[in-house]
Amino acid sequence: MGEVKRTALYDVHHKHNGNMVDFAGYEMPLYYDSIINEHQAVRHHAGIFDVSHMGEVTVEGEEAEGYIQHLVTNDITQIDEGGVMYALMCYEDGGVVDDLLVYKYTSTKYLLVINASNIDKDYAWIKKQGEAFDVTLKNISDAIAEVALQGPKAEKILQKLTDTDVSSITFFTFKVDVLIDGKKCLVSRTGYTGEDGFEIYTTLENIAHVWEKLMEAGQEEGLQPAGLGARDTLRFEVALPLYGNEIHKDITPLEAGLSYFVKLDTDFVGKDVLVNQKETGLTRRVVGLELLGKGIARHGYEVLSPTGEKIGEITTGYKSPSLDKTIALAVVDKPFTKLGSDVVVQIRKKQVPAKVVSKKFYKKNYAK
Amino acid sequence: MKIMDNCYYTKNHEWIRVEGNEGWVGVSDYAQDAMGQIVFVELPEADDSFAQEDAFSVVESVKAASDIYMPASGTVTEVNEVLEDEPELINEDPYAHYICKIELEDMTELDNLMDAEAYGAYCESL
């Protein structure tokens, strides 16, 4: 085990009474005030998250475009300069290495944003795939700090601190050199909550200043610092996948229900397996569940058929703060993936009935 | 942090208040604070019997499920059904909102528990 890292916002978290936990090798706030209050702040006002633990890799070179196309499942030739695309990296067997955001500066310069828990593994994979291409790769994760400003008031708050017209940063685009209270930032209209909002990248030296200024600017808009707990409940309600839960090395993007981000007419690592899987049909898939009895279905709990055979397992489950229902995501065998199917969740000693429902538990409110 | 003088405490932060051979059992203020917002309580059933330190209930916060252990051996005589619909009451006042009542089997087991003063010192040491 390496030493637990602290982000450049560590002191800020303490100032705001962050309840700190070890996450992916970083000491991060699970919550400040309470998970549910922070969740509701993001849904109705705004929240600010420290996401400095995320990883960043730059890709530069004549063959950058062809290389990334080989690396990820989505068609990155469809990204305009200044555009962002969600994609997945697969192993040769179709399992997921990680999901990521691809930022395109030009066809010879990109930024990849990867999950904190996967930085070392991903970077090794990214380098290995790059050997045959004329590209220069740099893991700049330790030099980049990042906050996510999310919620319906995000644009109004951010606009107070910059001369850049932030409404011109449209959904899944970014701008570099945006001055936030004089500090140079890269700002993208992306996020992981299902709400409108921005992800703001800057240096370790500038991040605390940016955070504090955003907090001041957002005071009357109800901006709250939000921790990893709310980050997870928010992304779960809109069925955004989490690596290690809905996606991992033993599940393919198609099984995870992410076929929209898999373009089988492009060439990428793992494609043959996915083509074959599409032709022969999936044997299991990630679905939404609503529990009909009392209890909370947690990650790893077994899902059973009404006759008691194991047909899958829970990938994420919570009592939804927005809906006041107990819901879950689960990977289940094909015969039970149809909406309305009856299943049973084994919660400790009890068997709780559940039904398959749409994964879109809560409607996304992106500004498009 | 609130510690009630009229209760005994376990190292796992359960409390028991004893009257005659009846005991009211719940989780301490320290425990509810550490767990965060409580969203579900899995109650035992009346007539269930538990030995001292057996898991008898599960209290779930937004993020995690925590087993709750019996401070002393006994048989459940009553469960606090209010917690099924309002589990957050434990956050509001963990001593007013017991999880269940038990009929104690062996009063000498209370000697294994901490009184308020010892429990206060124990919490300080954590």
Side-chain angles (χ1 to χ4, degrees), chain A residues 25-71:
Chain A
Y26 289 82
E27 208 174 333
M28 300 295 289
L30 180 61
Y31 58 86
Y32 303 84
D33 162 23
S34 86
I35 293 174
I36 295 172
N37 292 356
E38 290 158 27
H39 179 110
Q40 302 297 10
V42 174
R43 286 272 179 259
H44 302 292
H45 309 285
I48 181 170
F49 299 82
D50 178 11
V51 283
S52 299
H53 59 310
M54 299 289 284
E56 293 86 11
V57 176
T58 55
V59 181
E60 290 189 65
E62 285 305 311
E63 295 183 325
E65 182 177 82
Y67 159 69
I68 296 173
Q69 193 68 76
H70 167 76
L71 184 71

Side-chain angles (χ1 to χ4, degrees), chain A residues 156-169:
Chain A
K156 191 175 177 195
I157 295 166
L158 183 59
Q159 192 62 74
K160 292 181 187 179
L161 296 173
T162 180
D163 293 334
T164 300
D165 173 13
V166 297
S167 72
S168 70
I169 306 171

Side-chain angles (χ1 to χ4, degrees), chain A residues 178-197:
Chain A
V178 175
L179 294 178
I180 298 178
D181 197 54
K183 305 294 183 191
K184 208 182 268 189
C185 300
L186 182 156
V187 178
S188 61
R189 199 165 200 140
T190 52
Y192 192 48
T193 60
E195 299 299 324
D196 183 27

Side-chain angles (χ1 to χ4, degrees), chain A residues 30-31 34-37 228-229 232-233 294-296 298 301 318-319 347-348 350, chain B residues 33-37 39-40 42-43 45 58 60-65 67 84-85:
Chain A
L30 180 61
Y31 58 86
S34 86
I35 293 174
I36 295 172
N37 292 356
L228 294 174
D232 198 42
T233 53
K294 288 182 190 294
I296 297 171
R298 304 277 180 186
Y301 286 10
Y318 281 117
K319 182 173 180 193
I347 299 180
R348 295 179 288 275
K350 286 184 187 163
Chain B
D33 185 61
M35 286 189 272
Q37 278 164 303
V39 294
F40 184 69
E42 187 176 279
L43 297 167
E45 286 180 22
V58 179
E60 303 204 35
S61 66
V62 178
K63 285 300 283 184
D67 280 323
E84 287 205 321
D85 296 318

Side-chain angles (χ1 to χ4, degrees), chain A residues 63-128:
Chain A
E63 295 183 325
E65 182 177 82
Y67 159 69
I68 296 173
Q69 193 68 76
H70 167 76
L71 184 71
V72 307
T73 57
N74 212 334
D75 183 1
I76 69 143
T77 63
Q78 299 302 308
I79 322 178
D80 295 326
E81 290 188 2
V84 186
M85 184 177 265
Y86 175 79
L88 300 112
M89 297 188 282
C90 288
Y91 291 108
E92 280 95 353
D93 69 359
V96 177
V97 181
D98 203 1
D99 59 348
L100 70 163
L101 291 178
V102 180
Y103 286 68
K104 178 177 180 177
Y105 292 77
T106 68
S107 62
T108 59
K109 185 179 177 188
Y110 293 84
L111 175 72
L112 309 178
V113 180
I114 56 180
N115 281 304
S117 54
N118 293 338
I119 293 172
D120 293 343
K121 177 193 78 174
D122 284 6
Y123 191 55
W125 179 257
I126 286 167
K127 273 201 297 195
K128 188 176 160 208

